Amino acid sequence: MRLIVQKYGGTSVGSPERIRHVAERLVATQRQGCRVVAVISAIAGVTDSLLKLARDVSAQPSERELDALLATGEHAATALVAMAVNALGAKAISLTGAQAGVLTDRMHTRAKIANVSPKQIHELLSDEYIVVVAGFQGQTAEGETTTLGRGGSDLTAIALAGALNADACQIYTDVDGVFTCDPRVVPDALKIEGIAYDELLEMAGAGSKVMQSRAVEFAKKFGVAFEVRSSLKPSVGTIAQAETANMEDVVVRGVSVERQQAKVTVTGVPDKPGSASRIFSAVSAANILVDMIVQNASGRNSTDISFTIHAADLPKVEQLLGPVVGDIGARRVSAQSAVAKLSAVGIGMRSHSGVAARLFDCLGRGGINIQLISTSDIKIAVIINEADVDRAAQLAHEAFGLGKQARVRKAP
Ligand code: ADP
Ligand code: ASP
Ligand code: MG
């Protein structure tokens, strides 16, 4: 008998009607002769409202209590889905992450999955239950509740599919699949049929939040192929899987944007060993994630170092770097918020040249100034003004011939 893991995101359970629709889909899948595990997110907006409530009562809520609070969002949604399935005359039972056997490390609010022991799920499946698991949460070896970082229900689904050796893992969401760019940014974007883990990983890391990047990392590591598809339409979605031979034929698979970035530049950094380390040690000691790092070619024994962070971290970084700049003998720190990152991603870049030139050319012709550039073997990313990012995404999308329009033009 086939075993299917289906994950439903927040908007897919966003109203009683949608919850009933999810229940119908689960029951229909069981009636096709499958064993069904559902992974459910909190109802859309609930996690954000709980976070806001926490900040309304405490300037710095403890991460343990935040996890205890946030886990309730998924608890509620899971119980509602199980009730809706029962109301259709089928058998369902809701489980917390802990009951589902999701064991994590102790890193509250961004815990990593250490192990999954789905013994109880197997037993319930044998008893013909549809097993409805709360996404985004787990438990430490000491029995403490943890959460897996924003978007973490994706990770729960992939990890359970891996541990249960599922025949299929389907991620149901509010778009038809993974698109060549966020369809809310580029309406001309096209659904991608097949995507390599590495491409989706780079796109997710570059701001395409359709999948949590840690979930894609996990899928790649354990070889869990999955499909991203619509919970509202019956159409086939996007298959994410290990790279296949013909995937490199497409040079750029997609374009991603990430807003709310800030750029920090330390000028006049003494060109000697240890200077960069002092700057980044101070930032990482405060648990702040640094994204791009660019160092200029040095001249007259000093250099400039720029890096990007999330805009929310800027006040803290400026405060931290003030004394460091004095200590290492650098000239000054300057910062710019309201910048964004635009990335073009594709494994075809490994074997095709001219991608950077084409990206820079389309931005240049659009009058969009590039402030920083970084590359990996399958990605080119630039920092630009946030106000330009939608237009830049449309230009890049067009320049790489990714949209519906380009397909129409290419057709004989
Ligand atoms: P869920 O609640 O189902 O987990 P998310 O909001 O986390 O859904 O992810 C789906 C959203 O991701 C879409 O509504 C879309 O706006 C956004 N998105 C960003 N980039 C892409 C992309 N390249 N393809 C599809 N959707 C994207
Ligand atoms: N509810 C959590 C969030 O909003 C987890 C998820 O939706 O995947 O981030
Ligand atoms: Mg999500």
Side-chain angles (χ1 to χ4, degrees):
M1 209 180 196
R2 273 166 66 78
L3 195 164
I4 297 204
V5 174
Q6 297 188 339
K7 177 253 170 180
Y8 292 89
T11 23
S12 305
V13 289
S15 65
E17 195 199 342
R18 287 196 176 173
I19 291 176
R20 284 197 298 270
H21 179 70
V22 166
E24 280 160 16
R25 209 180 259 263
L26 295 173
V27 173
T29 310
Q30 189 185 51
R31 292 201 175 136
Q32 282 160 15
C34 297
R35 289 180 293 161
V36 184
V37 176
V39 174
I40 307 293
S41 289
I43 290 173
V46 166
T47 307
D48 286 336
S49 332
L50 291 172
L51 276 171
K52 182 174 176 310
L53 268 173
R55 301 217 161 93
D56 285 347
V57 297
S58 160
Q60 262 191 324
S62 103
E63 293 193 326
R64 178 192 185 276
E65 300 310 331
L66 268 178
D67 277 351
L69 177 71
L70 294 187
T72 64
E74 268 69 14
H75 287 164
T78 314
L80 288 166
V81 170
M83 286 173 199
V85 172
N86 289 334
L88 294 173
K91 273 180 23 175
I93 184 164
S94 68
L95 297 181
T96 63
Q99 290 171 323
V102 180
L103 191 74
T104 73
D105 64 13
R106 296 183 194 88
M107 199 59 95
H108 281 289
T109 74
R110 51 190 177 287
K112 288 206 177 75
I113 294 182
N115 191 14
V116 182
S117 327
K119 188 168 165 282
Q120 199 178 346
I121 298 186
H122 277 303
E123 287 166 6
L124 290 164
L125 287 172
S126 306
D127 285 344
E128 292 174 18
Y129 278 98
I130 292 176
V131 183
V132 188
V133 178
F136 174 58
Q137 53 177 264
Q139 181 177 264
T140 66
E142 294 76 28
E144 294 284 305
T145 298
T146 48
T147 63
L148 310 174
R150 296 306 304 265
S153 300
D154 295 336
L155 178 56
T156 306
I158 301 283
L160 280 180
L164 292 163
N165 203 8
D167 296 288
C169 177
Q170 299 172 324
I171 309 288
Y172 285 90
T173 184
D174 59 358
V175 281
D176 297 355
V178 179
F179 279 68
T180 48
C181 189
D182 185 344
R184 293 176 214 281
V185 176
V186 178
D188 188 43
L190 266 178
K191 184 178 77 188
I192 299 169
E193 279 171 25
I195 190 164
Y197 294 130
D198 281 333
E199 291 174 322
L200 189 51
L201 195 53
E202 286 279 16
M203 283 177 71
S208 293
K209 65 154 196 159
V210 60
M211 277 298 290
Q212 191 208 33
S213 58
R214 287 175 55 195
V216 186
E217 212 175 313
F218 199 100
K220 181 184 171 192
K221 192 163 165 196
F222 296 100
V224 181
F226 60 93
E227 180 186 4
V228 179
R229 57 186 291 161
S230 168
S231 62
L232 307 166
K233 296 187 205 162
S235 50
V236 177
T238 301
I239 306 287
Q241 59 182 27
E243 201 174 315
T244 57
N246 60 356
M247 277 183 172
E248 280 204 6
D249 296 348
V250 176
V251 184
V252 171
R253 183 82 56 198
V255 169
S256 301
V257 300
E258 186 152 30
R259 298 164 207 274
Q260 290 180 298
Q261 303 292 292
K263 182 181 74 169
V264 179
T265 303
V266 186
T267 47
V269 179
D271 195 11
K272 60 180 189 206
S275 299
S277 151
R278 291 289 305 282
I279 294 170
F280 293 104
S281 304
V283 177
S284 84
N287 258 330
I288 291 169
L289 285 180
V290 172
D291 186 8
M292 282 188 195
I293 301 179
V294 176
Q295 177 174 327
N296 282 349
S298 44
R300 285 201 234 110
N301 301 325
S302 76
T303 185
D304 299 342
I305 297 180
S306 293
F307 59 94
T308 61
I309 50 174
H310 193 275
D313 293 326
L314 184 55
K316 191 148 188 202
V317 168
E318 284 183 301
Q319 190 193 348
L320 281 170
L321 287 187
V324 176
V325 164
D327 285 355
I328 63 174
R331 199 173 310 124
R332 71 184 195 102
V333 189
S334 59
Q336 187 184 345
S337 52
V339 295
K341 182 169 72 167
L342 172 97
S343 311
V345 174
I347 51 179
M349 280 185 207
R350 290 189 200 127
S351 49
H352 293 78
S353 58
V355 182
R358 196 182 308 179
L359 176 65
F360 303 159
D361 175 61
C362 82
L363 296 178
R365 279 190 289 115
I368 294 168
N369 190 38
I370 299 171
Q371 304 180 22
L372 290 180
I373 300 170
S374 86
T375 59
S376 78
D377 62 338
I378 65 163
K379 179 178 78 176
I380 295 177
V382 294
I383 292 291
I384 55 180
N385 278 338
E386 194 163 6
D388 291 331
V389 77
D390 285 359
R391 198 162 55 87
Q394 282 152 17
L395 288 170
H397 198 262
E398 162 103 39
F400 291 112
L402 293 176
K404 297 173 202 140
Q405 296 301 330
R407 182 161 290 190
V408 170
R409 277 198 300 274
K410 264 186 233 158

